[in-house]
């Protein structure tokens, strides 16, 4: 798969991180993704019809693959310091229609508002976890 230059640069930088630091970062990454998914589920309650959309919100941990047909972007494998929050699967293929609306139905955003509202909190958590992991790594050398 062809990646943009920015993604290629990020992948090179992630590959250069020592494995011990990556292992120490994983709990904070997964916790943050879980927090985003929980808020998305709460925000999606307003669009509840059958509940299938809410049940399709899923956290994919490091090294795992996202469900096929998930939004945004379909099936991907998470990097070892990455957790992905997706919505949709083979049965629920309409999350983008709920998020952005259609000609006949108004938008009921739930995905991106959750991401944006928790962004600062998650960045702070991950920065703290990274600093601690680096400190621990260098103190054990």
């Amino acid at each position: 798969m062809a990646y943009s230059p920015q993604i290629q640069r990020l992948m090179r930088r992630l590959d250069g991180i020592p494995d011990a630091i990556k292992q120490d970062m994983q709990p904070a990454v997964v916790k943050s993704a879980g927090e985003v998914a929980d808020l998305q589920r709460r925000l999606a309650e307003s669009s509840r019809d059958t509940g299938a959309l809410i049940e399709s919100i899923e956290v994919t941990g490091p090294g795992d693959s996202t469900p096929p047909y998930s939004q945004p972007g379909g099936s991907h494998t998470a990097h070892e310091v990455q957790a992905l929050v997706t919505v949709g699967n083979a049965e629920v293929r309409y999350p983008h229609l709920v998020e952005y609306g259609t000609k006949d139905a108004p938008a009921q955003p739930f995905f991106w508002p959750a991401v944006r509202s928790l962004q600062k909190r998650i960045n702070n958590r991950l920065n703290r976890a990274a600093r601690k992991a680096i400190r621990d790594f260098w103190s054990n050398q």
Side-chain angles (χ1 to χ4, degrees):
M1 174 182 271
Y3 291 109
S4 70
Q6 294 87 357
I7 297 293
Q8 290 175 356
R9 189 173 128 243
L10 175 64
M11 297 299 272
R12 282 193 306 272
R13 290 182 74 184
L14 288 174
D15 289 339
I17 299 172
D19 290 335
I21 294 174
K22 291 177 187 177
Q23 292 295 322
D24 289 349
M25 290 277 310
Q26 284 180 354
V29 170
V30 172
K31 179 179 181 179
S32 297
E35 193 174 327
V36 170
D38 289 341
L39 182 56
Q40 287 173 344
R41 288 183 191 106
R42 287 195 303 273
L43 293 175
E45 279 295 326
S46 65
S47 66
R48 178 184 283 277
D49 187 19
T50 63
L53 176 72
I54 296 167
E55 292 168 8
S56 74
I57 297 173
E58 190 172 310
V59 174
T60 302
D64 295 335
S65 293
T66 61
Y69 305 107
S70 60
Q71 299 286 327
S75 185
H76 293 289
T77 301
H79 194 272
E80 53 209 329
V81 192
Q82 184 181 37
L84 304 172
V85 179
T86 58
V87 60
N89 52 36
E91 291 82 34
V92 179
R93 296 177 66 175
Y94 53 85
H96 61 289
L97 300 176
V98 174
E99 179 78 10
Y100 301 113
T102 65
K103 180 180 85 168
D104 300 320
Q108 297 175 330
F110 64 96
F111 192 90
W112 294 114
V115 172
R116 285 190 296 270
S117 68
L118 294 174
Q119 189 169 8
K120 184 175 180 183
R121 178 181 176 144
I122 289 170
N123 283 341
N124 290 338
R125 177 185 295 132
L126 295 178
N127 287 335
R128 279 191 311 272
R131 284 192 300 270
K132 182 179 182 319
I134 291 168
R135 259 193 323 269
D136 293 347
F137 176 76
W138 285 110
S139 67
N140 292 332
Q141 292 294 316

